[in-house]
Amino acid sequence: LFVNVGHDAKEIGGDELNKIVKSGDVKDILVVNSAVAEIYLKPEALKKDSLKKVSKNAFGYNNTGPHYKTTIGALDKFEDKISKLQAENPTVVIPSPRFETRINWLGPLVNYLLFPLGILALLWFLVFRQMGGPNGPGSQLFNIGRSRATLFDSKENGKVNVTFQDVAGLDEAKEEVMEVVDFLRTPKKYTALGAKIPKGVLLVGPPGTGKTLLAKAVAGEAGVPFFTLSGSDFVEMFVGVGASRVRDLFAQARAKAPCIIFIDEIDAIGRTRGRNSMNSNDERENTLNQLLVEMDGFGTDKGIILMAATNRADVLDQALLRPGRFDRQIEIDRPDIVGREQIFNVHLKNVKTASEVTASSLAEMTPGFAGADIANICNEAVLIAARRDKSEADMLDFNFALDRIIGGLEKKNKLIAPEEKNIIAYHEAGHAICGWFLEHAMPLVKVTIVPRGSGTLGYAQYLPKDEYITRTEALLDRMCMTLGGRAAESVMFDKISTGALSDLDQVTRMAYAMVAIYGMNERVGHVSFYEMQQQGGGFTKPYSEETSYLIDTECRRVIEEQYERAKALLKDKRYELELLAKELLSKEVLHKSDLERLIGPRPSGLKLI
């Protein structure tokens, strides 16, 4: 790209040049750099009628007056041409060409310096405007060390509208955090007595149990600014950015005190330092160190409460958990039947349901479900009812929603060969028979051979009770029930299939837990290697090769004993097994009432849940 900043004259060709020269109006001919001839006119020439109508823009103007320009070829031929024109027109005085060499400093300066700088400035302006300026969404480039926390403040970005009325099934946890709320409302009541309020509250529990919701409710009840961000928001590829963001976060919090800082998934930066040098991360550890320093720097009268949530409290650094930092750990477990009923009541308020749908019945059907799972069931049931053009969701819709969440989407178009379907029916019937006649097995809700999900060809659904401890007898009965599917295939066909993959995985985990974690094996003894395995990072076993061999041997023995036990039970109940399998092939889905009709009620000597 070339830019010429001079005032260019009108370019003319050879015929026009001859005409102008012959007219006698030429004052001077200047050859510049042996390439361009500038034809300067006499001032009186502009008074001629032929040039009066010509605009001044047609000429180039400089210190020597109006002129045209033309590109010449060889210099000697141009001189010969001018001499020939003079000879042919003796009455006209034609000036001989003069020669001049010019050096244009301004043009190269613009071409090679100012113009590129202008292009860069334009690009910078466009990028800066695209990012929304210094406070726009793309301003991380300029504020990479600033905190990414989102602030909820009634004066600026709105307030948190969640209160304790929106949190159901967490009564004990709400009582624990009420003291934090009371301190933020009336701090002088505590400081006047010399009390020190806990600086940090750690919410620990499985995913979906309501940890984040409880933290929002604390902010909503207290009516104070609420900073929220995740642990991964501190982590960046640049060294020192994480620590800088921690400093900036607490600086903002001090300006807004009293307030709450909530860090979700704090294990992203709070993992134990130096546990495994192969996976160490200096940047993450520096961020954690800065967080520890800032928590130590809290003043007792500042009114800054740090709340955090994690489902991996076992991997957190002990320095975070000591008194003076996270003083309180609040366990938020999956709700029991009473808590599930309360959660269902909260979600059912916003949906249209039939009179038969009750929170108590749904709570009984969903043991082990967390708050997020319950919300998903309610939403799925309403979606199913809407697809069927219903005005309200009934119990059938909730059953379909539960099946979809547990087993996956129903595959109506999946074609299964009759022989394979027969194997699946006996497999699922084997689970049902074992669960029906084993004392400590969980009661059956239904059994189906309808294919669901990506690989589920059938499943048996049980109703586990809410329990906190499990005895050896119960674990063995559940292993036997889980192996009932493969045992039924062996009893009926004298062959086995790959359909027991998930069953085998489940019983293997249960066997190793009994032997190596819960100390439920006489030969291995009353020992547990759980914590030692966690600290080892899974790379090394915290026991000798002899102990490892013993654990493997005992696990295989336990699994084999329960497999033979399941086969013996099914041989004894072969008639019931065949009856149940044939009914499954006919109806595809059987409920508890169907089993009672076919094989009678569950034996009264069993401990029903």
mmCIF file of all heavy atoms in Angstrom, residues 103-139:
data_model
loop_
_atom_site.group_PDB
_atom_site.id
_atom_site.type_symbol
_atom_site.label_atom_id
_atom_site.label_comp_id
_atom_site.label_asym_id
_atom_site.label_seq_id
_atom_site.Cartn_x
_atom_site.Cartn_y
_atom_site.Cartn_z
ATOM 1 N N ILE A 103 13.263 14.375 -3.206
ATOM 2 C CA ILE A 103 13.204 13.359 -2.143
ATOM 3 C C ILE A 103 11.973 13.666 -1.300
ATOM 4 O O ILE A 103 11.905 14.704 -0.630
ATOM 5 C CB ILE A 103 14.474 13.374 -1.279
ATOM 6 C CG1 ILE A 103 15.707 13.085 -2.146
ATOM 7 C CG2 ILE A 103 14.358 12.356 -0.151
ATOM 8 C CD1 ILE A 103 17.006 13.144 -1.371
ATOM 9 N N ASN A 104 10.974 12.760 -1.314
ATOM 10 C CA ASN A 104 9.711 12.955 -0.581
ATOM 11 C C ASN A 104 9.801 12.244 0.769
ATOM 12 O O ASN A 104 9.687 11.021 0.865
ATOM 13 C CB ASN A 104 8.537 12.383 -1.391
ATOM 14 C CG ASN A 104 7.196 12.728 -0.744
ATOM 15 O OD1 ASN A 104 7.147 13.359 0.293
ATOM 16 N ND2 ASN A 104 6.128 12.303 -1.406
ATOM 17 N N TRP A 105 10.068 13.053 1.825
ATOM 18 C CA TRP A 105 10.182 12.455 3.166
ATOM 19 C C TRP A 105 8.803 12.170 3.784
ATOM 20 O O TRP A 105 8.644 11.217 4.539
ATOM 21 C CB TRP A 105 10.958 13.398 4.090
ATOM 22 C CG TRP A 105 12.389 13.563 3.685
ATOM 23 C CD1 TRP A 105 12.942 14.590 2.976
ATOM 24 C CD2 TRP A 105 13.448 12.644 3.948
ATOM 25 N NE1 TRP A 105 14.267 14.397 2.770
ATOM 26 C CE2 TRP A 105 14.626 13.183 3.376
ATOM 27 C CE3 TRP A 105 13.533 11.422 4.612
ATOM 28 C CZ2 TRP A 105 15.844 12.550 3.447
ATOM 29 C CZ3 TRP A 105 14.757 10.813 4.686
ATOM 30 C CH2 TRP A 105 15.889 11.352 4.108
ATOM 31 N N LEU A 106 7.853 12.974 3.470
ATOM 32 C CA LEU A 106 6.546 12.837 4.127
ATOM 33 C C LEU A 106 5.821 11.575 3.667
ATOM 34 O O LEU A 106 5.214 10.874 4.471
ATOM 35 C CB LEU A 106 5.688 14.074 3.825
ATOM 36 C CG LEU A 106 4.330 14.125 4.537
ATOM 37 C CD1 LEU A 106 4.523 14.082 6.044
ATOM 38 C CD2 LEU A 106 3.553 15.386 4.129
ATOM 39 N N GLY A 107 5.896 11.280 2.379
ATOM 40 C CA GLY A 107 5.201 10.093 1.872
ATOM 41 C C GLY A 107 5.680 8.810 2.527
ATOM 42 O O GLY A 107 4.883 8.031 3.067
ATOM 43 N N PRO A 108 7.001 8.514 2.508
ATOM 44 C CA PRO A 108 7.477 7.295 3.176
ATOM 45 C C PRO A 108 7.167 7.260 4.673
ATOM 46 O O PRO A 108 6.910 6.203 5.239
ATOM 47 C CB PRO A 108 8.983 7.326 2.922
ATOM 48 C CG PRO A 108 9.131 8.135 1.676
ATOM 49 C CD PRO A 108 8.062 9.187 1.744
ATOM 50 N N LEU A 109 7.197 8.457 5.319
ATOM 51 C CA LEU A 109 6.880 8.494 6.747
ATOM 52 C C LEU A 109 5.457 8.017 7.011
ATOM 53 O O LEU A 109 5.201 7.217 7.911
ATOM 54 C CB LEU A 109 7.076 9.918 7.278
ATOM 55 C CG LEU A 109 6.782 10.107 8.779
ATOM 56 C CD1 LEU A 109 7.775 9.319 9.624
ATOM 57 C CD2 LEU A 109 6.845 11.596 9.148
ATOM 58 N N VAL A 110 4.536 8.510 6.174
ATOM 59 C CA VAL A 110 3.143 8.082 6.336
ATOM 60 C C VAL A 110 2.985 6.617 5.961
ATOM 61 O O VAL A 110 2.278 5.860 6.628
ATOM 62 C CB VAL A 110 2.216 8.984 5.476
ATOM 63 C CG1 VAL A 110 0.789 8.454 5.509
ATOM 64 C CG2 VAL A 110 2.264 10.414 5.984
ATOM 65 N N ASN A 111 3.654 6.205 4.871
ATOM 66 C CA ASN A 111 3.491 4.833 4.387
ATOM 67 C C ASN A 111 3.990 3.792 5.387
ATOM 68 O O ASN A 111 3.334 2.771 5.625
ATOM 69 C CB ASN A 111 4.239 4.654 3.064
ATOM 70 C CG ASN A 111 3.511 5.326 1.912
ATOM 71 O OD1 ASN A 111 2.293 5.349 1.885
ATOM 72 N ND2 ASN A 111 4.267 5.896 0.984
ATOM 73 N N TYR A 112 5.151 4.043 5.958
ATOM 74 C CA TYR A 112 5.818 3.008 6.736
ATOM 75 C C TYR A 112 5.733 3.208 8.250
ATOM 76 O O TYR A 112 6.135 2.319 8.994
ATOM 77 C CB TYR A 112 7.286 2.923 6.318
ATOM 78 C CG TYR A 112 7.449 2.621 4.850
ATOM 79 C CD1 TYR A 112 7.973 3.575 3.986
ATOM 80 C CD2 TYR A 112 7.039 1.394 4.320
ATOM 81 C CE1 TYR A 112 8.093 3.308 2.631
ATOM 82 C CE2 TYR A 112 7.158 1.125 2.972
ATOM 83 C CZ TYR A 112 7.678 2.079 2.128
ATOM 84 O OH TYR A 112 7.803 1.820 0.793
ATOM 85 N N LEU A 113 5.202 4.306 8.731
ATOM 86 C CA LEU A 113 5.153 4.523 10.180
ATOM 87 C C LEU A 113 3.774 4.962 10.645
ATOM 88 O O LEU A 113 3.105 4.253 11.395
ATOM 89 C CB LEU A 113 6.211 5.561 10.589
ATOM 90 C CG LEU A 113 6.286 5.849 12.096
ATOM 91 C CD1 LEU A 113 6.652 4.578 12.854
ATOM 92 C CD2 LEU A 113 7.318 6.946 12.384
ATOM 93 N N LEU A 114 3.312 6.125 10.175
ATOM 94 C CA LEU A 114 2.058 6.668 10.694
ATOM 95 C C LEU A 114 0.862 5.824 10.283
ATOM 96 O O LEU A 114 -0.047 5.596 11.089
ATOM 97 C CB LEU A 114 1.892 8.111 10.199
ATOM 98 C CG LEU A 114 2.952 9.102 10.674
ATOM 99 C CD1 LEU A 114 2.621 10.500 10.160
ATOM 100 C CD2 LEU A 114 3.021 9.120 12.201
ATOM 101 N N PHE A 115 0.862 5.352 9.047
ATOM 102 C CA PHE A 115 -0.294 4.571 8.596
ATOM 103 C C PHE A 115 -0.441 3.254 9.368
ATOM 104 O O PHE A 115 -1.529 2.927 9.835
ATOM 105 C CB PHE A 115 -0.182 4.319 7.093
ATOM 106 C CG PHE A 115 -1.397 3.646 6.509
ATOM 107 C CD1 PHE A 115 -2.567 4.358 6.279
ATOM 108 C CD2 PHE A 115 -1.371 2.293 6.223
ATOM 109 C CE1 PHE A 115 -3.678 3.734 5.752
ATOM 110 C CE2 PHE A 115 -2.474 1.663 5.694
ATOM 111 C CZ PHE A 115 -3.641 2.389 5.458
ATOM 112 N N PRO A 116 0.629 2.442 9.544
ATOM 113 C CA PRO A 116 0.473 1.226 10.369
ATOM 114 C C PRO A 116 0.055 1.520 11.797
ATOM 115 O O PRO A 116 -0.753 0.793 12.379
ATOM 116 C CB PRO A 116 1.862 0.576 10.306
ATOM 117 C CG PRO A 116 2.456 1.088 9.042
ATOM 118 C CD PRO A 116 1.955 2.493 8.917
ATOM 119 N N LEU A 117 0.618 2.618 12.366
ATOM 120 C CA LEU A 117 0.209 2.965 13.727
ATOM 121 C C LEU A 117 -1.270 3.329 13.790
ATOM 122 O O LEU A 117 -1.971 3.003 14.751
ATOM 123 C CB LEU A 117 1.066 4.123 14.250
ATOM 124 C CG LEU A 117 2.529 3.785 14.543
ATOM 125 C CD1 LEU A 117 3.275 5.041 14.987
ATOM 126 C CD2 LEU A 117 2.622 2.705 15.621
ATOM 127 N N GLY A 118 -1.755 3.987 12.752
ATOM 128 C CA GLY A 118 -3.182 4.323 12.715
ATOM 129 C C GLY A 118 -4.054 3.083 12.633
ATOM 130 O O GLY A 118 -5.110 2.998 13.265
ATOM 131 N N ILE A 119 -3.615 2.103 11.831
ATOM 132 C CA ILE A 119 -4.367 0.847 11.729
ATOM 133 C C ILE A 119 -4.407 0.138 13.078
ATOM 134 O O ILE A 119 -5.449 -0.368 13.524
ATOM 135 C CB ILE A 119 -3.738 -0.063 10.661
ATOM 136 C CG1 ILE A 119 -3.901 0.567 9.267
ATOM 137 C CG2 ILE A 119 -4.382 -1.448 10.691
ATOM 138 C CD1 ILE A 119 -5.338 0.700 8.816
ATOM 139 N N LEU A 120 -3.279 0.079 13.792
ATOM 140 C CA LEU A 120 -3.246 -0.563 15.109
ATOM 141 C C LEU A 120 -4.145 0.153 16.103
ATOM 142 O O LEU A 120 -4.833 -0.485 16.920
ATOM 143 C CB LEU A 120 -1.805 -0.601 15.634
ATOM 144 C CG LEU A 120 -0.834 -1.539 14.897
ATOM 145 C CD1 LEU A 120 0.572 -1.390 15.455
ATOM 146 C CD2 LEU A 120 -1.300 -2.990 15.022
ATOM 147 N N ALA A 121 -4.132 1.473 16.059
ATOM 148 C CA ALA A 121 -5.000 2.228 16.961
ATOM 149 C C ALA A 121 -6.474 1.947 16.676
ATOM 150 O O ALA A 121 -7.287 1.829 17.597
ATOM 151 C CB ALA A 121 -4.705 3.725 16.826
ATOM 152 N N LEU A 122 -6.827 1.834 15.397
ATOM 153 C CA LEU A 122 -8.215 1.527 15.040
ATOM 154 C C LEU A 122 -8.622 0.140 15.535
ATOM 155 O O LEU A 122 -9.714 -0.043 16.084
ATOM 156 C CB LEU A 122 -8.372 1.624 13.518
ATOM 157 C CG LEU A 122 -9.779 1.289 12.974
ATOM 158 C CD1 LEU A 122 -10.816 2.259 13.534
ATOM 159 C CD2 LEU A 122 -9.777 1.321 11.454
ATOM 160 N N LEU A 123 -7.740 -0.846 15.340
ATOM 161 C CA LEU A 123 -8.032 -2.199 15.820
ATOM 162 C C LEU A 123 -8.180 -2.225 17.331
ATOM 163 O O LEU A 123 -9.070 -2.884 17.881
ATOM 164 C CB LEU A 123 -6.926 -3.160 15.383
ATOM 165 C CG LEU A 123 -6.848 -3.454 13.875
ATOM 166 C CD1 LEU A 123 -5.632 -4.321 13.575
ATOM 167 C CD2 LEU A 123 -8.117 -4.141 13.396
ATOM 168 N N TRP A 124 -7.310 -1.511 18.031
ATOM 169 C CA TRP A 124 -7.405 -1.447 19.497
ATOM 170 C C TRP A 124 -8.738 -0.845 19.930
ATOM 171 O O TRP A 124 -9.376 -1.333 20.860
ATOM 172 C CB TRP A 124 -6.235 -0.639 20.040
ATOM 173 C CG TRP A 124 -6.260 -0.500 21.539
ATOM 174 C CD1 TRP A 124 -6.754 0.521 22.273
ATOM 175 C CD2 TRP A 124 -5.768 -1.450 22.473
ATOM 176 N NE1 TRP A 124 -6.599 0.287 23.607
ATOM 177 C CE2 TRP A 124 -5.992 -0.925 23.768
ATOM 178 C CE3 TRP A 124 -5.147 -2.697 22.354
ATOM 179 C CZ2 TRP A 124 -5.630 -1.596 24.918
ATOM 180 C CZ3 TRP A 124 -4.797 -3.365 23.515
ATOM 181 C CH2 TRP A 124 -5.035 -2.815 24.772
ATOM 182 N N PHE A 125 -9.152 0.185 19.257
ATOM 183 C CA PHE A 125 -10.422 0.820 19.598
ATOM 184 C C PHE A 125 -11.591 -0.135 19.391
ATOM 185 O O PHE A 125 -12.498 -0.227 20.224
ATOM 186 C CB PHE A 125 -10.604 2.079 18.747
ATOM 187 C CG PHE A 125 -11.980 2.687 18.863
ATOM 188 C CD1 PHE A 125 -12.356 3.415 19.985
ATOM 189 C CD2 PHE A 125 -12.910 2.526 17.838
ATOM 190 C CE1 PHE A 125 -13.610 3.961 20.089
ATOM 191 C CE2 PHE A 125 -14.168 3.066 17.934
ATOM 192 C CZ PHE A 125 -14.528 3.795 19.071
ATOM 193 N N LEU A 126 -11.564 -0.878 18.257
ATOM 194 C CA LEU A 126 -12.661 -1.805 17.980
ATOM 195 C C LEU A 126 -12.710 -2.934 19.001
ATOM 196 O O LEU A 126 -13.781 -3.319 19.466
ATOM 197 C CB LEU A 126 -12.501 -2.374 16.564
ATOM 198 C CG LEU A 126 -12.672 -1.358 15.421
ATOM 199 C CD1 LEU A 126 -12.395 -2.022 14.078
ATOM 200 C CD2 LEU A 126 -14.078 -0.758 15.442
ATOM 201 N N VAL A 127 -11.534 -3.479 19.369
ATOM 202 C CA VAL A 127 -11.509 -4.563 20.364
ATOM 203 C C VAL A 127 -11.968 -4.054 21.712
ATOM 204 O O VAL A 127 -12.745 -4.700 22.425
ATOM 205 C CB VAL A 127 -10.085 -5.156 20.456
ATOM 206 C CG1 VAL A 127 -9.990 -6.136 21.621
ATOM 207 C CG2 VAL A 127 -9.718 -5.849 19.158
ATOM 208 N N PHE A 128 -11.521 -2.884 22.091
ATOM 209 C CA PHE A 128 -11.899 -2.308 23.385
ATOM 210 C C PHE A 128 -13.395 -2.059 23.453
ATOM 211 O O PHE A 128 -14.040 -2.319 24.460
ATOM 212 C CB PHE A 128 -11.127 -0.998 23.587
ATOM 213 C CG PHE A 128 -11.231 -0.443 24.977
ATOM 214 C CD1 PHE A 128 -10.488 -0.993 26.005
ATOM 215 C CD2 PHE A 128 -12.068 0.628 25.260
ATOM 216 C CE1 PHE A 128 -10.571 -0.482 27.285
ATOM 217 C CE2 PHE A 128 -12.159 1.134 26.532
ATOM 218 C CZ PHE A 128 -11.398 0.587 27.550
ATOM 219 N N ARG A 129 -13.967 -1.556 22.345
ATOM 220 C CA ARG A 129 -15.415 -1.315 22.327
ATOM 221 C C ARG A 129 -16.188 -2.622 22.356
ATOM 222 O O ARG A 129 -17.247 -2.726 22.967
ATOM 223 C CB ARG A 129 -15.787 -0.515 21.088
ATOM 224 C CG ARG A 129 -17.253 -0.082 21.077
ATOM 225 C CD ARG A 129 -17.567 0.783 19.882
ATOM 226 N NE ARG A 129 -17.427 0.045 18.635
ATOM 227 C CZ ARG A 129 -17.736 0.544 17.443
ATOM 228 N NH1 ARG A 129 -18.167 1.791 17.347
ATOM 229 N NH2 ARG A 129 -17.591 -0.181 16.349
ATOM 230 N N GLN A 130 -15.656 -3.686 21.678
ATOM 231 C CA GLN A 130 -16.324 -4.988 21.676
ATOM 232 C C GLN A 130 -16.387 -5.560 23.084
ATOM 233 O O GLN A 130 -17.351 -6.224 23.458
ATOM 234 C CB GLN A 130 -15.578 -5.952 20.750
ATOM 235 C CG GLN A 130 -16.214 -7.329 20.648
ATOM 236 C CD GLN A 130 -17.525 -7.295 19.905
ATOM 237 O OE1 GLN A 130 -17.769 -6.386 19.123
ATOM 238 N NE2 GLN A 130 -18.378 -8.271 20.175
ATOM 239 N N MET A 131 -15.354 -5.316 23.880
ATOM 240 C CA MET A 131 -15.336 -5.828 25.249
ATOM 241 C C MET A 131 -16.123 -4.944 26.201
ATOM 242 O O MET A 131 -16.238 -5.246 27.375
ATOM 243 C CB MET A 131 -13.888 -5.941 25.741
ATOM 244 C CG MET A 131 -13.085 -7.013 25.010
ATOM 245 S SD MET A 131 -11.480 -7.312 25.763
ATOM 246 C CE MET A 131 -10.722 -5.724 25.553
ATOM 247 N N GLY A 132 -16.680 -3.872 25.717
ATOM 248 C CA GLY A 132 -17.542 -3.050 26.552
ATOM 249 C C GLY A 132 -16.806 -2.060 27.421
ATOM 250 O O GLY A 132 -17.335 -1.600 28.423
ATOM 251 N N GLY A 133 -15.571 -1.723 27.076
ATOM 252 C CA GLY A 133 -14.854 -0.747 27.852
ATOM 253 C C GLY A 133 -14.246 -1.344 29.109
ATOM 254 O O GLY A 133 -14.222 -2.555 29.317
ATOM 255 N N PRO A 134 -13.772 -0.531 30.035
ATOM 256 C CA PRO A 134 -13.078 -1.026 31.221
ATOM 257 C C PRO A 134 -13.963 -1.809 32.163
ATOM 258 O O PRO A 134 -13.479 -2.567 32.980
ATOM 259 C CB PRO A 134 -12.558 0.259 31.882
ATOM 260 C CG PRO A 134 -13.436 1.342 31.350
ATOM 261 C CD PRO A 134 -13.815 0.938 29.967
ATOM 262 N N ASN A 135 -15.290 -1.638 32.072
ATOM 263 C CA ASN A 135 -16.207 -2.355 32.953
ATOM 264 C C ASN A 135 -17.084 -3.333 32.195
ATOM 265 O O ASN A 135 -18.086 -3.811 32.710
ATOM 266 C CB ASN A 135 -17.096 -1.360 33.712
ATOM 267 C CG ASN A 135 -16.288 -0.437 34.596
ATOM 268 O OD1 ASN A 135 -15.369 -0.879 35.273
ATOM 269 N ND2 ASN A 135 -16.615 0.848 34.579
ATOM 270 N N GLY A 136 -16.754 -3.617 30.947
ATOM 271 C CA GLY A 136 -17.587 -4.479 30.115
ATOM 272 C C GLY A 136 -17.343 -5.943 30.382
ATOM 273 O O GLY A 136 -16.492 -6.331 31.193
ATOM 274 N N PRO A 137 -18.098 -6.805 29.677
ATOM 275 C CA PRO A 137 -17.972 -8.247 29.900
ATOM 276 C C PRO A 137 -16.644 -8.827 29.490
ATOM 277 O O PRO A 137 -16.286 -9.899 29.918
ATOM 278 C CB PRO A 137 -19.111 -8.818 29.034
ATOM 279 C CG PRO A 137 -19.360 -7.777 27.982
ATOM 280 C CD PRO A 137 -19.103 -6.473 28.658
ATOM 281 N N GLY A 138 -15.909 -8.121 28.652
ATOM 282 C CA GLY A 138 -14.620 -8.646 28.239
ATOM 283 C C GLY A 138 -13.457 -7.966 28.917
ATOM 284 O O GLY A 138 -12.339 -8.006 28.425
ATOM 285 N N SER A 139 -13.711 -7.320 30.026
ATOM 286 C CA SER A 139 -12.673 -6.533 30.680
ATOM 287 C C SER A 139 -11.714 -7.369 31.509
ATOM 288 O O SER A 139 -10.874 -6.831 32.195
ATOM 289 C CB SER A 139 -13.330 -5.488 31.590
ATOM 290 O OG SER A 139 -14.159 -6.125 32.558
#
